[in-house]
Amino acid sequence: MSSVVRYELIDNIGIITIDNPPVNALSQALRQGLLDVVTAAQKDASEALVLLCGGRTFMAGADITEFGKPPQSPSLPEVLAVLENSRKLIVAAMHGTALGGGFETALACHYRCAVPSARVGLPEVKLGLLPGAGGTQRVTRLAGVKAALEIILNGNPLSAAEAAELNLLDEVLPDENLREGAIAYAHDLVESGALLKRVRDISIDPGSLEPGFFDNYRRRLAERARGQIASDRIVTAVEAAVTLPMEHGLIRERDLFLELLLSSQSRAMRHIFFAEREAAKIRDLPTDTSLRDIRHVAVVGGGTMGGGIAMCFANAGMPVVLLEISGEALERGLAIIRKNYAGSVQKGKMSEAEMQQRLQLITGSADYADLAQVDLVIEAVFENPEIKKEVFRRLDAVCKPGAILASNTSYQNIDEIAAVTSRPQDVLGMHFFSPANVMKLLEVVRGEKTCHEVLATAMQVGRRIGKICALSRVCYGFIGNRMLTGYARQAHMLLLDGATPEQVDAVAEDFGMAMGPLAVGDLAGLDIGYKALQAREAAGEVIDPATHCVASALVELGRLGQKSGAGYYRYDPQTRARQSDPQVEALSREHAARLGIPQRVISRDEILARLFYPLINEGARILQEGIAQRPGDIDIVYVYGYAFPAAKGGPMFHADEIGLGTVYEGIQRFGRELGATYWQPAPLLAQLAASGSSFAQWDAARQG
Ligand code: CAA
C-alpha cells in the first residue's frame, strides 16, 4: 500500500483517496501509488472507482519541485493512460483547487464531479509552461477550440459552475459533502449503466474555424506576449488537438511541454512561484509567534495613496476609517474613492451592489479620537518626516494599547518615526505601491524595535488583502526604491551621452519591463522628483547635474509628464499615445555640451547593461547589509512592485542567469569608461564573481 494513496472498497465502489499534503502535488510516490491502485482495482469486485483527495484540495498539479531534476518513472502521461484505459469507470471527485496536472488527471477519468466551491484550471502558463499531460488535447475536445485557448492562455481557474457550463465537469454535487456526494454519483452511474466516456473519443470539427485561424491567433498573441514563448506553444498544442489524432496530439503536446520545461523563461517563473511563498516567511521568527487580531483599520491621509490603501481593506471586507485634517479634505478623498469604484463598475469589473458594499465599509473622520479602538493604523500623509512624526505622536496618544502603527512612507526612517512614540515595538512600515488598490506588492519594513508579533501580523494582514509581502529592514528607499535610484540615474545619463528617450525605453520594454524608465517618469510626474531634489538642495546637498539636468529643465518648461501633455515625450490628448519629441533631444544635446559630455551612438547592449547592472549591484549591497532577507525577496519586490518581467525571474535571478562574472566585469568596464563615481562593484558581487558563485548559492550556503 502506498503512503500517499489509499484504497477501500465500499459495496461495489472502490474509493481511491490521495493524501499528499499540503496540496496533493503529483509527486513520484503519488503517481506510482495511483498507477498501482488503479491497476489492482481492475481485478477486484468494484464496479466503479471514485478518485478523491484528502486535505484542503484535489491535486493542485505536478510537483514543481521535481522540475529540472532527472525524470522519475512513471510519468504522469503514463499514469493517465492507465486511468483512461481502465475497464472500470473512474469518477474524479474534486474539491479545493484542481489545477494543472491535477485537473488533467480528472480529465483522463471517465466522469468528473465537484463540490460547488471547487475551482479547476490549467495555470501552467504562469510557470512558463503548457499543460503537459493531455490538458490541451482534452480541454479542446470538451470545451472547443476558442474556450480552450482562453482557459489555457490566461491560466485562471474556473468555478465549478463555469466548468460545468463548458462541459469540463459532468456534475456539480448538491453540497460540500464530497465523499458522500461522489459515492452517490458513482452509484447512479453504475445503476444507469453509464458508458466509459473517454475524452479521446470526442472528435473536433475543424470546419467551424475560419481559414488561417491559428496563424492569425499566434500573430495577434505575439504582439502582446513580449517574447514569452509559452503562449505561442499553447496555440500550437491546441492546433495539434484539431489537426492530429489524439495519440499524436499527446506526443506533440509533450514535446512542446519539455521544450518549455527546459527554457530559461520557465525556470525564471518557477523561481518566482517559490520565491513568492518564501518571501512571506520571516527567517528569524519563531514558528509559534502569535498574531494580533485585526478587525478594524484606519488610514491617515486621504490622498491617492491613502484612498487606495483604504480600498484594499474594503475590497477584503474589512471596515476602515479614513482620517483627514478637515471635512473638506476628507470629502475630496472619499470622492476619489467613489470615482475609482464607479470606474470599475463602468468597466464591468464590479457590480453596483458590490461597489455599495465596499463604500459602506469606508467611513470618514476628521477627529483622531475616532481611531481610539482600531487595531491597525496606516499613515499615508505627505512624505515629510516632521509631519509624519507629528501624526505618530497623535496616534500614540489616542490609539489603544496593542494597536499596530504603520507608516506607508517610501523613504523615511521608520526607527526615527517609532522613536517619537512610547511603543516602538508596535511601529513598522507598510509600504504600498501606487496605485495601492492595484499593485500586488507590500514591502513590510521592520524597525530596529518592531516586535515579532507585529511583524507576523503585518505579513498576515498583507496576505488577507491580497498582497504579496516582502520584508525589508530600514534604509533610505528600502529595497525597491533604493535599487531604483541607479536604474533611473543611468536612464537620465544615457540621454546626455546621446541616446533618445525612445531608445532607452525601447530597450527596457524589449527586455520585458511594462514601461521604460523615462516613460514611467512621465507617468508618475517629473515634478515629484524635481521637488524632492529642491528639498535636498535646500538642505545643503550638492547634487550632480548630470543625474537630473534634462528632467529638471523639462519641469521648468512646464513639461511635467503625461498630466501636462508632455515630458520626455509628447502625449496625444485623446489616446495618451506617446510620441518622440526632437525638442527633448535638442535639450539633451544642449545640456551635454554645457557639461562637456561628448554625445555618441549608444548600442542596445550598453543601454541594457547600464540600466540593469546598477539594480543588481545595489541589490548585492542590500543583501550584504541584511536589508533584504534573501535574493528571492528582492526579485519579488521587482516583479510585483516594478513590473520587472517574471519571465526573467527578477534582477537577482537574472544576474545569476547571465553570470555574476559578466555583471562584475561590465561594472568595472563602465567604471573605466564613464568614471567610477557610479560604477563601484558591490563587495558581495566582487566576492561571488571571483569565486564563480551566484546569489542563490550564497543564500543556500548561509542557510546551511
Ligand atoms: N508543487 C510543489 N509544491 C507546491 C505546489 C506544486 N504544484 N503547489 C503548491 N506547493 C507548495 C507551496 O510551495 C507551499 O509550500 P510551503 O508551504 O513550503 O511554502 C505549499 O505547497 C502551499 O502552497 P500555497 O502557500 O500556495 O497555498 P495556497 O493554499 O495559498 O494555494 C494553490 C494553493 C492554489 C494550490 C497554490 O499553491 C498554487 O497555485 N499552486 C500551483 C498550482 C500549479 O501551478 N499547478 C500546475 C503545476 S505544473 C503542471 O501541473 C504541469 C503538468 O501539466 C503536468
Side-chain angles (χ1 to χ4, degrees):
M1 185 63 100
S2 153
S3 60
V4 290
V5 185
R6 285 197 313 274
Y7 182 75
E8 60 193 310
L9 189 60
I10 299 184
D11 302 328
N12 57 342
I13 308 290
I15 320 266
I16 304 167
T17 305
I18 286 170
D19 205 355
N20 188 25
V23 296
N24 290 311
L26 281 142
S27 61
Q28 190 279 335
L30 197 164
R31 297 193 302 272
Q32 186 66 58
L34 186 55
L35 182 75
D36 294 345
V37 161
V38 173
T39 307
Q42 303 300 312
K43 300 185 197 114
D44 71 12
S46 60
E47 289 183 76
L49 307 174
V50 169
L51 171 61
L52 51 77
C53 292
R56 67 202 221 211
T57 180
F58 193 75
M59 292 165 273
D63 185 339
I64 309 171
T65 60
E66 287 183 358
F67 291 170
K69 299 181 185 156
Q72 287 175 289
S73 156
S75 72
L76 186 57
E78 279 161 12
V79 179
L80 299 196
V82 171
L83 262 65
E84 191 166 52
N85 288 328
S86 161
R87 285 176 290 104
K88 293 187 182 172
L89 175 157
I90 308 181
V91 179
M94 292 172 269
H95 77 296
T97 42
L99 300 178
F103 186 46
E104 291 176 294
T105 303
L107 291 168
C109 295
H110 308 109
Y111 290 87
R112 283 160 291 286
C113 66
V115 295
S117 64
R119 293 162 74 71
V120 307
L122 297 170
E124 285 86 345
V125 69
K126 297 183 183 181
L127 298 171
L129 296 170
L130 54 74
T136 61
Q137 308 302 295
R138 293 193 175 95
V139 169
T140 307
R141 281 174 168 73
L142 286 166
V145 171
K146 289 181 185 166
L149 283 171
E150 203 180 311
I151 294 166
I152 305 171
L153 284 169
N154 75 34
N156 297 328
L158 302 165
S159 67
E162 287 165 335
E165 184 78 14
L166 286 167
N167 204 24
L168 296 169
L169 273 189
D170 300 291
E171 181 84 358
V172 180
L173 298 172
D175 55 36
E176 296 297 317
N177 199 331
L178 175 75
R179 188 180 155 96
E180 213 169 88
I183 294 175
Y185 179 52
H187 272 301
D188 287 351
L189 289 171
V190 171
E191 275 160 31
S192 64
L195 300 174
L196 287 173
K197 258 191 348 179
R198 294 188 173 100
V199 178
R200 67 175 183 222
D201 297 333
I202 300 172
S203 56
I204 304 173
D205 173 18
S208 60
L209 298 171
E210 63 264 24
F213 172 84
F214 288 104
D215 288 339
N216 292 337
Y217 205 101
R218 253 189 300 267
R219 226 186 340 267
R220 279 201 307 276
L221 210 57
E223 283 161 21
R224 36 191 180 95
R226 293 179 176 277
Q228 287 202 33
I229 51 177
S231 313
D232 175 85
R233 305 304 189 270
I234 285 169
V235 180
T236 304
V238 170
E239 184 177 16
V242 176
T243 54
L244 301 176
M246 181 79 173
E247 55 186 301
H248 292 143
L250 285 175
I251 293 170
R252 183 91 184 94
E253 178 199 73
R254 195 69 187 165
D255 288 347
L256 293 165
F257 172 79
L258 293 174
E259 177 202 341
L260 291 175
L261 191 60
L262 295 176
S263 69
S264 65
Q265 291 190 1
S266 175
R267 222 173 21 250
M269 291 167 93
R270 274 149 33 210
H271 159 72
I272 289 298
F273 176 86
F274 287 115
E276 181 183 323
R277 281 152 183 82
E278 277 303 293
K281 298 170 193 159
I282 301 179
R283 274 182 173 161
D284 63 334
L285 235 57
T287 44
D288 59 352
T289 303
S290 54
L291 295 171
R292 293 193 188 166
D293 194 17
I294 306 293
R295 290 167 197 259
H296 293 100
V297 180
V299 176
V300 181
T304 315
M305 274 319 272
I309 297 170
M311 288 171 76
C312 293
F313 286 96
N315 293 347
M318 293 169 77
V320 52
V321 184
L322 189 66
L323 185 96
E324 255 296 354
I325 42 168
S326 67
E328 224 173 80
L330 183 62
E331 194 33 55
R332 257 199 315 274
L334 291 172
I336 297 174
I337 293 177
R338 281 194 290 270
K339 192 170 150 227
N340 284 341
Y341 276 135
S344 300
V345 172
Q346 220 167 28
K347 286 183 204 143
K349 290 185 181 165
M350 183 185 289
S351 70
E352 179 76 29
E354 278 169 329
M355 172 175 87
Q356 291 307 337
Q357 249 169 17
R358 292 177 198 199
L359 283 172
Q360 270 166 20
L361 288 168
I362 305 176
T363 49
S365 168
D367 184 355
Y368 271 85
D370 289 338
L371 272 45
Q373 290 310 315
V374 297
D375 307 304
L376 164 68
V377 187
I378 300 174
E379 163 280 307
V381 302
F382 190 62
E383 210 40 89
N384 172 312
E386 292 319 309
I387 300 177
K388 287 191 185 285
K389 283 179 193 164
E390 185 49 30
V391 169
F392 274 78
R393 278 189 201 100
R394 300 185 71 171
L395 293 175
D396 190 28
V398 299
C399 290
K400 67 180 182 188
I404 297 179
L405 310 183
S407 172
N408 174 53
T409 180
S410 310
Y411 293 98
Q412 308 302 331
N413 187 316
I414 297 293
D415 294 328
E416 288 174 13
I417 293 175
V420 305
T421 72
S422 62
R423 41 174 128 180
Q425 75 283 358
D426 293 339
V427 177
L428 85 169
M430 286 177 80
H431 179 212
F432 290 75
F433 286 69
S434 186
N437 53 315
V438 176
M439 294 299 285
K440 297 284 274 178
L441 181 68
L442 177 65
E443 249 179 341
V444 173
V445 186
R446 175 182 202 165
E448 200 57 54
K449 296 193 174 151
T450 313
C451 72
H452 287 171
E453 221 177 79
V454 166
L455 274 179
T457 306
M459 299 296 265
Q460 193 228 24
V461 167
R463 277 196 299 280
R464 263 172 81 186
I465 60 172
K467 299 295 177 200
I468 292 163
C469 303
L471 187 73
S472 174
R473 284 205 181 260
V474 174
C475 67
Y476 187 76
F478 314 127
I479 297 173
N481 284 339
R482 172 170 161 184
M483 284 170 65
L484 199 66
T485 308
Y487 172 76
R489 183 195 290 132
Q490 286 305 315
H492 187 276
M493 294 179 94
L494 280 160
L495 299 182
L496 293 174
D497 288 339
T500 65
E502 194 56 56
Q503 281 169 341
V504 174
D505 284 342
V507 168
E509 287 160 13
D510 287 348
F511 177 80
M513 299 297 287
M515 239 187 201
L518 300 169
V520 167
D522 273 359
L523 180 69
L526 300 179
D527 50 325
I528 297 178
Y530 185 76
K531 280 186 203 140
L533 214 72
Q534 279 185 318
R536 286 167 60 197
E537 282 181 335
E541 204 177 322
V542 180
I543 301 169
D544 178 359
T547 62
H548 69 87
C549 56
V550 178
S552 295
L554 289 170
V555 173
E556 282 156 15
L557 287 168
R559 301 179 60 132
L560 310 183
Q562 282 200 21
K563 60 186 165 190
S564 68
Y568 286 113
Y569 299 92
R570 290 208 160 274
Y571 292 89
D572 183 302
Q574 255 81 51
T575 62
R576 287 202 176 181
R578 73 185 191 210
Q579 294 150 11
S580 300
D581 186 347
Q583 206 187 333
V584 178
E585 287 167 46
L587 204 63
S588 306
R589 259 196 312 277
E590 194 185 301
H591 281 274
R594 191 172 57 79
L595 296 172
I597 299 170
Q599 290 210 316
R600 60 195 164 89
V601 174
I602 304 194
S603 71
R604 294 177 67 84
D605 284 352
E606 178 175 341
I607 295 176
L608 192 67
R610 281 179 62 182
L611 291 178
F612 291 103
Y613 288 2
L615 270 186
I616 297 164
N617 201 34
E618 199 59 32
R621 289 204 175 90
I622 279 174
L623 277 177
Q624 194 158 29
E625 291 168 23
I627 300 291
Q629 295 191 97
R630 355 170 148 76
D633 288 17
I634 297 179
D635 292 333
I636 289 305
V637 166
Y638 263 80
V639 167
Y640 291 110
Y642 299 84
F644 193 99
K648 293 278 192 328
M652 309 318 275
F653 181 87
H654 179 62
D656 282 350
E657 288 281 290
I658 54 182
L660 298 190
T662 306
V663 178
Y664 173 77
E665 279 155 26
I667 290 175
Q668 292 283 62
R669 194 182 65 246
F670 289 135
R672 287 192 299 274
E673 292 169 3
L674 305 167
T677 314
Y678 304 115
W679 295 103
Q680 303 273 0
L684 178 64
L685 177 68
Q687 172 201 323
L688 297 179
S691 60
S693 186
S694 65
F695 291 124
Q697 284 167 338
W698 171 78
D699 189 48
R702 278 195 318 165
Q703 291 314 299

